[in-house]
Amino acid sequence: MTAMVKSEGVHKSFGQVEVLKGIDLEVNTGEVFCLIGPSGSGKSTFLRCINHLEKINAGRLYVDGYLVGYRQKGDKLYELKDSEVALKRRDIGMVFQRFNLFPHMTAVENVMEAPIQVKGVKKADARDRAMELLERVGLGDKAKNYPSQLSGGQQQRVAIARALAMDPKLMLFDEPTSALDPELVGDVLDVMRDLAESGMTMVVVTHEMGFAREVGDSLVFMDGGVVVESGNPRDVLTDPQHERTKSFLSKVL
Amino acid sequence: MTDKLDKSPSDTPPPGDSVSAGAASGPAPETIKAIPVRHYGRWISGVIVVALLVALGIAFSQGNIQWHTVSDQLFVSSVVQGAGRTLLISILAMIVGVVLGILLAVMRLSKNPVTSTVAWLYIWFFRGTPVYVQLLLWFNLALIFPVLNLGPIYKNNMTDVMTPFMCALLGLGLNEAAYMAEICRAGLLAVDEGQTEAAQALGMSHTKTLFRIVIPQAMRVIVPPTGNEFINMLKTSSLVYAVTYNELLRSTSAIGSTSYAVMEMLFVASIWYLAMTSVFSVFQYYLERYYARGSSRSLPPTVFQKIKANLIGLGSERGKG
């Protein structure tokens, strides 16, 4: 197995506040990698670093063997141009906590937008593919609805379809169910479960321990900007080794 | 527990129905009949306002005004043409202002320090000097640059280029652009940052993100104040009088100064300005109403709904009093 994401001593600061204090981890191709931890632990920030929405201050971050945001020539690092960063992002799908669907477009237009604008796919082809993806997330009948006419769970499933439309190699999920009513969480997790079964590489920041235990292949517990504990989700969740992990899990489980 | 379960099917309908049935069959709640608060202040202020209006009316009827001149001159062809030019220059200047304004707003928010500084300087100058002074600057440009020479592209005498129309268009349009830039900037900033992030996470370029995602959403914030700016422009356009462009104020004043009906012709101009701004205010109102969809829960009433509500309100007030 090869590493889809490889992080070596990644540091990130916002002004004086150091959010990531040296993250070392590897996400293998095809695995579901769960990041858990208290809020403010840096897990969402790390996720955003993977597709260069945040610039890292130190360390190296590789996606699919390529350095994120930079090009290395000899000892020197060169910043990538915006267009080069955009090119890399095509292969990385991202799902946000607050969905971030485009409110002025219907569900199907949301899904069609990037393939047409970024890849130059023909409109008719993009629409067929978008309908296929909406069917896959169980929303074929909602294609013509605007985001404001959809429930949170439906919006998040459209957002997943939108990310999948770019045929990504890697999917990033930033607390995808945290903004949802408890009733609606299940539908979104079902879609994610299907996606995991299809062999997609997924990095999931989540508070859904049940999902992590059931679907996750690896799990990392982060706190205060460092990795406290990592391993198989079932092992970590049932038999945590560190005090900090134990106290966190005792509160959330 | 078991008691209840046994009872409910036998002697009463299911709980959901029983509640509504009970409410319907029981005695209706007594409607509150209280003596309303008396608004004496409204009546007193109303009387004062009417008295003042009557006094004003009497004053004007006794003033040395030839009212027939006002009605005679209202639709004279040169006045109508003047009003047409006012409308034309306002619309054209507004188009220049909006297009340049969006461009400046984008430049201002750009990461490139050169473009953002250029935009800042532009806004600083054109917002910092009076539009009247700017109009005179364009008008008198020939004093310092007798010939406009753009190298191989274009060459002509400045006086031929800077016609009154061009002075008016540049003066009003470029000034408006500075104000529109600030309105557009506020609109662009009002779009949630998550939208840009989502677009960029999908691999969209900055330009595509701007035109496909950010600007369409910013329009909701930009359009209503733009209508307001246009109504303002209709009135500000009277300043181009100074650069000899023959708009409404200039065409009416020309008649006024030759016929000694100065005030009468100013009334004519005022009536035209009021008519034009009133028409566009109505447009503006419906435009704002249209763009309020989705953002506010209940739409503001239309003009007719408002008048109707006021009449009903007054009627019921009288009934109580």
Side-chain angles (χ1 to χ4, degrees):
Chain A
M1 288 233 264
T2 50
M4 177 59 83
V5 180
K6 194 174 175 197
S7 171
E8 296 171 350
V10 167
H11 284 256
K12 170 70 191 173
S13 307
F14 292 108
Q16 294 292 314
V17 186
E18 199 175 20
V19 182
L20 299 178
K21 300 168 182 170
I23 302 289
D24 294 285
L25 54 81
E26 267 186 41
V27 178
N28 292 320
T29 304
E31 81 172 339
V32 176
F33 190 97
C34 297
L35 280 167
I36 62 167
S39 55
S41 59
K43 53 198 192 316
S44 283
T45 305
F46 179 72
L47 197 74
R48 291 160 59 83
C49 289
I50 296 176
N51 69 351
H52 207 50
L53 282 177
E54 305 290 353
K55 265 187 196 175
I56 62 174
N57 300 112
R60 294 282 189 277
L61 193 53
Y62 300 89
V63 171
D64 204 20
Y66 291 96
L67 207 53
V68 173
Y70 302 93
R71 189 188 311 108
Q72 190 157 18
K73 255 188 193 169
D75 290 346
K76 282 183 183 161
L77 279 184
Y78 296 86
E79 260 185 47
L80 291 183
K81 281 188 269 180
D82 287 345
S83 57
E84 292 169 310
V85 174
L87 200 65
K88 288 279 188 290
R89 281 183 182 143
R90 289 184 188 192
D91 295 334
I92 308 172
M94 183 149 186
V95 176
F96 299 85
Q97 186 178 352
R98 302 277 342 158
F99 330 132
N100 293 347
L101 287 182
F102 306 134
H104 57 302
M105 299 179 185
T106 60
V108 69
E109 284 168 350
N110 262 282
V111 182
M112 290 158 65
E113 181 66 11
I116 293 173
Q117 296 298 328
V118 179
K119 285 187 169 171
V121 175
K122 281 204 199 94
K123 206 172 172 183
D125 298 343
R127 185 177 291 274
D128 291 345
R129 172 95 173 106
M131 284 310 298
E132 205 177 284
L133 285 165
L134 286 176
E135 294 286 353
R136 186 171 161 191
V137 299
L139 291 172
D141 55 330
K142 301 284 183 192
K144 292 223 166 71
N145 288 45
Y146 283 90
S148 59
Q149 300 164 330
L150 300 173
S151 73
Q154 292 169 336
Q155 287 191 50
Q156 194 60 297
R157 284 184 280 156
V158 173
I160 294 172
R162 178 176 72 173
L164 290 176
M166 292 299 284
D167 299 314
K169 294 179 203 159
L170 168 67
M171 284 284 282
L172 307 176
F173 292 85
D174 188 2
E175 301 192 26
T177 56
S178 296
L180 299 178
D181 287 344
E183 263 189 307
L184 306 172
V185 169
D187 292 339
V188 173
L189 291 182
D190 285 344
V191 169
M192 289 169 66
R193 199 172 288 124
D194 283 350
L195 198 57
E197 277 162 16
S198 75
M200 176 65 74
T201 312
M202 293 159 66
V203 181
V204 185
V205 171
T206 188
H207 293 298
E208 296 293 331
M209 299 304 156
F211 176 83
R213 190 198 308 262
E214 189 195 331
V215 183
D217 297 303
S218 306
L219 181 136
V220 156
F221 173 70
M222 279 176 74
D223 187 31
V226 293
V227 173
V228 176
E229 191 164 349
S230 63
N232 183 297
R234 282 154 291 274
D235 299 343
V236 177
L237 292 174
T238 46
D239 183 24
Q241 300 301 310
H242 290 257
E243 276 309 311
R244 186 67 190 92
T245 321
K246 280 178 194 166
S247 76
F248 175 75
L249 290 176
S250 70
K251 281 171 196 151
V252 295
L253 283 178
Chain B
M1 183 76 192
T2 42
D3 244 15
K4 254 185 187 172
L5 274 175
D6 289 337
K7 261 186 184 174
S8 69
S10 57
D11 58 27
T12 49
D17 286 5
S18 74
V19 170
S20 60
S25 61
E30 195 186 341
T31 318
I32 294 176
K33 283 176 195 140
I35 294 150
V37 177
R38 310 279 178 189
H39 297 284
Y40 297 113
R42 293 184 191 177
W43 288 99
I44 295 167
S45 58
V47 169
I48 293 172
V49 168
V50 169
L52 285 175
L53 280 176
V54 169
L56 197 68
I58 292 169
F60 268 84
S61 67
Q62 288 174 350
N64 187 13
I65 304 164
Q66 298 162 299
W67 287 108
H68 66 90
T69 317
V70 175
S71 53
D72 288 350
Q73 301 291 329
L74 197 54
F75 295 106
V76 167
S77 70
S78 72
V79 172
V80 175
Q81 277 174 17
R85 287 202 194 92
T86 286
L87 203 56
L88 177 75
I89 198 73
S90 301
I91 290 172
L92 291 179
M94 206 61 209
I95 291 170
V96 171
V98 168
V99 172
L100 207 56
I102 291 177
L103 186 72
L104 283 165
V106 171
M107 284 170 70
R108 186 79 203 276
L109 294 172
S110 143
K111 276 190 275 180
N112 181 337
V114 178
T115 54
S116 66
T117 311
V118 168
W120 185 87
L121 279 173
Y122 181 98
I123 295 167
W124 173 73
F125 178 79
F126 282 93
R127 223 168 46 146
T129 54
V131 63
Y132 189 63
V133 174
Q134 286 169 30
L135 283 163
L136 293 176
L137 282 174
W138 290 113
F139 190 58
N140 294 307
L141 205 59
L143 294 177
I144 49 171
F145 302 116
V147 176
L148 179 64
N149 189 350
L150 299 178
I153 315 162
Y154 188 82
K155 190 177 178 184
N156 204 345
N157 285 331
M158 190 60 90
T159 47
D160 294 334
V161 181
M162 281 297 155
T163 58
F165 173 77
M166 276 305 283
C167 289
L169 184 61
L170 286 173
L172 293 178
L174 299 189
N175 180 262
E176 185 57 36
Y179 286 93
M180 281 310 301
E182 291 298 282
I183 290 174
C184 295
R185 192 167 70 102
L188 295 176
L189 288 175
V191 177
D192 182 26
E193 215 181 328
Q195 293 290 311
T196 315
E197 279 181 0
Q200 291 187 341
L202 287 165
M204 288 171 77
S205 66
H206 279 297
T207 326
K208 286 257 166 72
T209 304
L210 191 66
F211 282 97
R212 298 287 307 172
I213 308 301
V214 178
I215 290 182
Q217 294 181 56
M219 290 314 279
R220 223 185 46 158
V221 181
I222 294 173
V223 168
T226 304
N228 208 25
E229 284 293 304
F230 179 72
I231 288 165
N232 222 355
M233 175 67 84
L234 276 172
K235 296 172 294 166
T236 313
S237 70
S238 65
L239 290 177
V240 305
Y241 182 102
V243 297
T244 71
Y245 182 65
N246 218 349
E247 43 66 72
L248 179 57
L249 183 63
R250 196 173 180 82
S251 55
T252 50
S253 302
I255 300 172
S257 54
T258 51
S259 65
Y260 300 107
V262 176
M263 276 301 273
E264 285 79 357
M265 291 317 289
L266 286 175
F267 287 163
V268 170
S270 301
I271 290 168
W272 272 102
Y273 281 121
L274 268 176
M276 287 194 278
T277 51
S278 302
V279 168
F280 282 98
S281 297
V282 174
F283 272 128
Q284 158 83 356
Y285 188 83
Y286 281 93
L287 202 67
E288 277 182 25
R289 202 166 172 270
Y290 176 83
Y291 276 94
R293 287 171 322 153
S295 60
S296 66
R297 223 179 263 173
S298 63
L299 286 176
T302 64
V303 179
F304 299 108
Q305 287 167 346
K306 229 188 217 170
I307 292 171
K308 207 172 147 191
N310 279 347
L311 285 177
I312 291 167
L314 207 67
S316 64
E317 199 89 318
R318 195 175 291 160
K320 286 170 203 160

